Amino acid sequence: MEAIMFTPRAIGHVRGPYKETKDVPKGLGAKQDAEGVIEILPTFEPGLMDIEGFSHLFVIWMFDRSEGFELTARPPSDNRPHGVFATRSPRRPNPMGLSVVELLRRDGPRLHVRGIDMLDGTPVLDIKPYLSSVPQETLRRGWLAEAEARAGK
Ligand SMILES: C[S@@+](CC[C@H](N)C(=O)[O-])C[C@H]1O[C@@H](n2cnc3c(N)ncnc32)[C@H](O)[C@@H]1O
């Protein structure tokens, strides 16, 4: 049976330095340390209560400037194709992005963050505190570790 679905709505938007996809650093070793602001819409501002205590946040957002999807993707970090669900490709069946950002400060409805990899104006769908309980030694990095080894990184 089909699950009952919902229509996502933006709770806010990203304000950042990247206007076009080519501006965002890509490939092995690319650093995502751009600073920006997540502007929350007034209706949702009460939902930010107590967020200041968290150093990092998960931001769930919409790839609003990608079209369609492909079930295999060739990421900039490798020259081999991989299944879309084994990548962070913007061209996915449900075009949702997930980024971990560092919360620098809150100024009312504006969250100043570091680690932006979204384009300016990107709709934000949700925010959650980042808490990782996965011990480092149990993490496996799949094809990415192999691509890094091939590139000598
Ligand atoms: C590889 S994805 C990873 C995004 C996120 N960290 C994730 O894992 O879901 C990052 C790329 O998405 C593209 N991008 C960023 N914002 C976008 C938007 N609003 N619409 C379409 N593409 C976007 C940029 O080209 C950027 O290099």
Side-chain angles (χ1 to χ4, degrees), residues 38-59:
I38 298 174
E39 284 182 356
I40 300 300
L41 295 168
T43 330
F44 299 106
E45 186 180 345
L48 295 177
M49 186 169 64
D50 295 336
I51 204 165
E52 298 86 346
F54 293 94
S55 63
H56 292 77
L57 303 172
F58 284 120
V59 182

Side-chain angles (χ1 to χ4, degrees), residues 8-15 37-48 106-111 121-127:
R9 55 182 165 169
I11 60 159
H13 295 88
V14 173
R15 302 293 166 214
V37 175
I38 298 174
E39 284 182 356
I40 300 300
L41 295 168
T43 330
F44 299 106
E45 186 180 345
L48 295 177
R106 175 182 168 194
D107 170 16
R110 296 160 60 83
L111 300 176
T122 294
V124 173
L125 304 179
D126 204 356
I127 296 175

